[in-house]
């Protein structure tokens, strides 16, 4: 199960890092024009850049604390934060009737719940 939890955390970290960097690097106007990213125009550039920064931090928080063995409890805490982020993403995409994106967010939410459960519980780094 430890391997499955590492794979789950790695998948979430990759998604968070890619998504965060895109939000930080791509100009807001260009990002808003992309398919499925109409929400960007609704929320504004500052919010999108902040969200991108938080996603990059989430990518780091899902991997680094365990790798360097400094505050490894931050891995499941970050996974719980990712769950909350996915709930918000699902609500946003649901309001915009972007149901395929809701399904993608639901998958990421399920992986984050698995990582949080596993790292708080049976495969805790502290136990």
């Amino acid at each position: 199960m430890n391997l499955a939890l590492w794979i789950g955390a790695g998948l979430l970290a990759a998604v968070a890092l890619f998504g965060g960097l895109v939000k930080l690097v791509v100009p807001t106007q260009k990002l808003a024009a992309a398919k499925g990213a109409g929400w960007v125009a609704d929320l504004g550039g500052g919010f999108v850049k902040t969200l991108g920064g938080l996603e990059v931090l989430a990518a780091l928080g899902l991997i680094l604390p365990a790798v360097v063995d400094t505050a490894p409890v931050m891995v499941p805490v970050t996974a719980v934060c990712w769950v909350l982020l996915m709930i918000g993403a699902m609500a946003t995409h649901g309001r915009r009737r972007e149901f395929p994106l809701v399904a993608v967010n639901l998958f990421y939410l399920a992986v984050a719940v698995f990582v949080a459960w596993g790292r708080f519980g049976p495969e805790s780094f502290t136990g």
Side-chain angles (χ1 to χ4, degrees):
M1 179 151 88
N2 187 43
L3 179 61
L5 289 166
W6 273 107
I7 291 170
L11 170 70
L12 292 177
V15 167
L17 184 62
F18 177 75
L21 289 176
V22 165
K23 289 174 184 76
L24 288 172
V25 173
V26 176
T28 306
Q29 297 83 0
K30 187 174 181 181
L31 190 58
K35 183 179 181 192
W39 61 271
V40 172
D42 295 343
L43 297 174
F47 179 83
V48 173
K49 299 296 182 197
T50 300
L51 184 59
L54 292 173
E55 287 180 2
V56 170
L57 290 175
L60 297 174
L62 285 163
I63 302 295
L64 278 182
V67 170
V68 299
D69 196 26
T70 301
V73 73
M74 290 308 296
V75 172
V77 169
T78 303
V80 169
C81 292
W82 190 260
V83 167
L84 298 173
L85 180 68
M86 289 301 101
I87 290 170
M90 289 168 56
T92 299
H93 290 301
R95 275 194 310 270
R96 297 179 56 80
R97 304 222 181 273
E98 299 167 338
F99 298 116
L101 294 174
V102 172
V104 171
N105 294 140
L106 183 60
F107 171 75
Y108 294 145
L109 182 144
V111 174
V113 166
F114 172 68
V115 171
W117 167 80
R119 291 304 182 201
F120 273 132
E123 290 289 333
S124 172
F125 290 120
T126 59

